[in-house]
Amino acid sequence: MTNEWNTRTALVHGGTARSQWGEVSEAIFLTQGFVYDSAEAAQARFIETGPDEYIYARYGNPTTAMFEKRIAMIEGAEDAFATASGMAAVSGALTSMLKAGDHVVAARALFGSCLYVLSEVLTRYGVEVTFVDGTDLDQWQTAIRPDTAAVFFETIANPTLEVVDIEAVAKLAHAHGATVIVDNVFATPVFSRAINQGADVVIYSATKHIDGQGRALGGVILGTREFIRGTVEPYMKHTGGSMSPFTAWVMLKGLETIDLRVRAQAATALALTDALQDHPKVKRAIYPGHPSHSQHDLTTRLMDKGGTVVALDLGGQAEAFRFLNALKIVLISNNLGDTKSIITHPATTTHQRLPDEQKATLGITPGLVRLSLGIEDEGDLIADIRQALDAV
Ligand SMILES: *Cc1c(COP(=O)(O)O)cnc(C)c1O
């Protein structure tokens, strides 16, 4: 590894460990175990596992290690632990570091499963959780206490695309020694500077932009070497949420092209938002990277671009459904960050289970649709969206 590489080079070459065959493409070590030369060598490895030494794939594997090194390099983190899914990363990062009696402050606008882990699981084990409006620094300041062990938020919230000021929240949290854990999916590893801005722990669902082609579930936890190897690894390797070597290979291949894909997706998101600003059928076109977004300056300061997702408010559920059903290229599904453009109606799918008043608080209105831009031709996509809006 070398720190002289720029991101695009690190995404292609970072972490690569070649076998004696000198393969160009990263090898998949589809092996659960490793052979020792002697009983003494086995004993020694269980006492202390050295670099490039492995015991069992749940603990680590050469292909998985390549993925961890590559993503850590581009995120600017000391180390990373690859997990079986994004939720294994979220629950693993939180559960590995928290204990009964600890206090956590979390933004209220969260991916449904993250909300479940914080409000249903952690509280069952005696962790107290306070929810705040992530965009309101006064609420963070009031909620964070001397006994607050961690703060947790999505840097851009799903699906309303509100942006949390990482630097400001980190300052408030660090004043009380709390660990700052961010779910950075919508910012993407391409635009993220979260570690530099004060995040202690960064989490990705690799299922989204890192794979980017809708093939595999995966996740990753990034942080200091002490946190990853001392806190996260012992918990993950014994509780079973590790990434499979095959998935790690898919994710390594995803990282090779992520910069090209995500920049193209963000450019289309911006062009589309621009094209829909004054469209009579669109009440609001929300994209944090567009100058019309109330947090555009904050977005530009924190992550340069606004990600790859646009939210549209079309008025009501009937209008939203008519729009979805008229689309010809954009697929109705619920992944995001895929090469294929995908549209979701959060109120009736991903966020269906939230009580109506909570949906209203979070801005998940019946007319809101979440559009994840793919890498199709920008003109074709905008034309497809325009013809579907005509049908509304
Ligand atoms: C998808 C997603 C997750 C969960 O990731 P999985 O890989 O599906 O487990 C967590 N947080 C956010 C913001 C997501 O978009």
Side-chain angles (χ1 to χ4, degrees), residues 349-361:
T349 60
T350 52
H351 293 70
Q352 184 185 157
R353 261 181 249 114
L354 286 184
D356 284 344
E357 66 271 18
Q358 210 170 332
K359 279 184 204 146
T361 313

Side-chain angles (χ1 to χ4, degrees), residues 85-87 111 114 154 183 185-186 205 207-208 217-218 336:
S85 69
M87 284 321 301
F111 182 71
C114 297
E154 291 172 18
D183 179 337
V185 167
F186 279 60
S205 162
T207 316
K208 313 295 167 56
L217 275 175
L336 61 95

